Amino acid sequence: MKVNVSYLGKEKGTADFSSLPSLLLYCSRHGLDTTWSREEKTLYIDYPQKNQTLLLTMEGGEDSDVLQETLSLMKELLKNSGMVLKTEIDQQEHEEDNFHVHLEFTKSENIVITCKNSDIIAVIQKHCRRKISSRPYVFFKTAGAQHKGRASISCEIPVNYTSLEEFLIQLQASILEHCIGSSELLNWVGLETVVELFSSGTPEKKKNRQQKRAPDTRPAEVKPQVKAEGEAYFNYTIRPHSNNEKYTLITDLVIKNTGTAELHNPIVCLRVDPPAQIEIGGQILPPEMVEVLAVQGTEGAQGWQYANDEWLQEGYEKGEFWIRPIDTLSIDPEEFNGIYQFHLNFDKLEKGTCTVEAFVYFREQNVTFKAMNDISFAF
């Protein structure tokens, strides 16, 4: 039996009824909410904080356009977050608001950020201390309610602040991380957006495609022997969770064609140890979700999927995850491709080591190689 799948309010296609448990598990791992409608035979997939609201109050700056500019920027930055923006017009609903940001535009030369509790201030400091202008920031913690008894964050901002847009971007990133945690932040820009951004190749590949080769006017030479060769390596960044008991690796597996022949359709095996300790997430789709969530480009579907329907069972039992391109994928000599921005999530071990290895197979050319580096963490 086929059922309908709706993603962020849009019909995305159909899936087998028997695949619903796998779909629910996939969405849960990626921080997405799911609702099953028995009457409509439809699975609704939505942002995890769809009903969470952000109350924005402002004062000062009445003699300039800063208030309207700020409101427009905040609306745009929240558009894909699933949060609902409210202003002072909705006063009767203030008691239900989950998060309150108050912005006061002053004639001061500095930005002063007041946070209601220590949990918020740590996240604000991490983002807003980044150098986005020469103007310093001052952070401090209040003993109680700061503004109107309800503000989670209160900011005093110079009315003529030239880096207002960049500051609001950093502030919004802080709010999102505080609301849902850093491990699931990719979901806030939209799953389709992330797949589209990271499935089309590295900047090196795009640059090579744009370069034009000058016509070769030299006499014909004997062509060298065509060789099919390649190499792969991991790039990764580790992000500990707040309690340091769980970790997330934001990982790229980069594949380079080092030979003189075009390579076609790589099959990747990620081998993890201990098998049941490491979970893989990010933009690798289960087979039953390809029709619904795969990004459609000019040359067909883009991205990566697990190679078989038993991928989850094999991962837990053998520690092996087999992955292949959703559509035909070719890598020209000296060019790059790979699996970008996928997640490796694991809990802290009492003792021992977590390791991840990668093996790449090009069956058409009979080429096999192991990644030059492994991911290994000891506790």
Side-chain angles (χ1 to χ4, degrees):
M1 180 178 72
K2 292 287 187 180
V3 298
N4 299 317
V5 178
S6 173
Y7 180 62
L8 306 184
K10 298 179 180 179
E11 295 295 330
K12 298 297 294 185
T14 60
D16 290 330
F17 180 78
S18 59
S19 69
L20 287 181
S22 297
L23 288 173
L24 294 179
L25 176 61
Y26 180 85
C27 292
S28 175
R29 284 186 176 179
H30 291 75
L32 297 169
D33 279 348
T34 55
T35 304
W36 168 248
S37 173
R38 178 182 178 184
E39 294 76 14
E40 301 175 8
K41 300 298 182 193
T42 299
L43 179 67
Y44 292 95
I45 304 175
D46 218 320
Y47 289 114
Q49 303 292 333
K50 183 178 179 182
N51 296 321
Q52 182 165 340
T53 60
L54 186 149
L55 171 64
L56 175 65
T57 56
M58 298 183 289
E59 63 177 295
E62 290 82 0
D63 297 333
S64 67
D65 298 328
V66 67
L67 297 181
Q68 185 58 44
E69 178 186 358
T70 300
L71 180 61
S72 299
L73 286 172
M74 290 294 287
K75 286 182 178 179
E76 184 66 21
L77 292 172
L78 281 171
K79 185 171 63 176
N80 286 330
S81 71
M83 298 181 75
V84 178
L85 179 67
K86 294 184 180 179
T87 62
E88 291 177 296
I89 298 176
D90 307 308
Q91 292 184 7
Q92 69 276 12
E93 300 183 21
H94 281 190
E95 294 300 322
E96 302 298 326
D97 290 312
N98 300 85
F99 206 87
H100 181 182
V101 176
H102 181 74
L103 305 179
E104 181 179 356
F105 294 94
T106 69
K107 297 181 179 180
S108 170
E109 291 297 320
N110 296 322
I111 293 179
V112 180
I113 301 179
T114 306
C115 299
K116 190 173 184 179
N117 58 58
S118 58
D119 292 337
I120 306 175
I121 199 171
V123 181
I124 294 289
Q125 287 176 330
K126 180 176 73 173
H127 286 276
C128 292
R129 273 183 173 168
R130 298 174 180 174
K131 186 178 179 181
I132 60 177
S133 75
S134 60
R135 198 183 300 276
Y137 300 100
V138 180
F139 303 91
F140 61 92
K141 174 187 173 183
T142 59
Q146 162 60 16
H147 187 87
K148 298 183 180 179
R150 296 194 51 79
S152 303
I153 301 173
S154 180
C155 305
E156 297 178 21
I157 306 172
V159 68
N160 295 321
Y161 186 38
T162 57
S163 297
L164 176 64
E165 180 179 80
E166 194 167 359
F167 172 74
L168 292 178
I169 293 173
Q170 299 287 3
L171 181 65
Q172 185 59 36
S174 306
I175 294 171
L176 296 185
E177 180 170 346
H178 174 73
C179 290
I180 65 172
S182 60
S183 64
E184 298 294 345
L185 281 179
L186 284 178
N187 295 324
W188 290 83
V189 300
L191 187 60
E192 289 177 310
T193 303
V194 174
V195 173
E196 186 174 359
L197 283 173
F198 295 106
S199 64
S200 57
T202 62
E204 292 96 332
K205 179 174 181 180
K206 294 177 180 178
K207 182 178 179 181
N208 288 338
R209 284 179 173 175
Q210 293 172 355
Q211 292 177 344
K212 295 183 179 180
R213 298 179 181 178
D216 190 355
T217 58
R218 296 175 298 176
E221 299 178 358
V222 178
K223 294 183 178 180
Q225 183 180 0
V226 176
K227 294 183 180 180
E229 297 175 333
E231 64 184 25
Y233 56 89
F234 284 113
N235 284 330
Y236 58 91
T237 302
I238 185 168
R239 293 183 179 177
H241 293 219
S242 58
N243 56 6
N244 289 325
E245 294 296 325
K246 190 174 180 67
Y247 299 84
T248 295
L249 296 179
I250 309 300
T251 311
D252 297 335
L253 176 64
V254 182
I255 303 172
K256 180 181 179 181
N257 184 342
T258 58
T260 56
E262 193 176 62
L263 297 176
H264 304 285
N265 302 323
I267 302 294
V268 175
C269 175
L270 295 179
R271 182 182 296 169
V272 303
D273 184 60
Q277 196 71 26
I278 301 176
E279 297 179 350
I280 297 181
Q283 309 315 316
I284 306 171
L285 301 178
E288 60 270 18
M289 295 195 72
V290 169
E291 181 181 349
V292 176
L293 292 181
V295 174
Q296 298 295 326
T298 57
E299 300 178 357
Q302 300 176 353
W304 297 79
Q305 69 176 64
Y306 294 103
N308 53 58
D309 295 332
E310 292 77 31
W311 63 274
L312 185 60
Q313 181 178 355
E314 286 187 359
Y316 278 129
E317 293 180 356
K318 301 179 182 180
E320 295 182 355
F321 294 88
W322 291 84
I323 302 165
R324 66 176 179 85
I326 293 176
D327 206 345
T328 301
L329 175 63
S330 297
I331 306 177
D332 293 330
E334 298 304 316
E335 289 200 359
F336 298 82
N337 210 304
I339 310 174
Y340 300 105
Q341 297 292 300
F342 64 95
H343 293 184
L344 297 172
N345 303 303
F346 59 93
D347 296 321
K348 181 178 180 180
L349 298 177
E350 293 297 330
K351 59 180 180 179
T353 303
C354 288
T355 59
V356 182
E357 301 172 287
F359 302 86
V360 183
Y361 304 86
F362 290 91
R363 293 176 178 173
E364 296 181 23
Q365 291 87 10
N366 195 27
V367 175
T368 301
F369 50 89
K370 183 179 182 293
M372 293 186 292
N373 60 328
D374 299 336
I375 298 175
S376 179
F377 284 92
F379 299 92

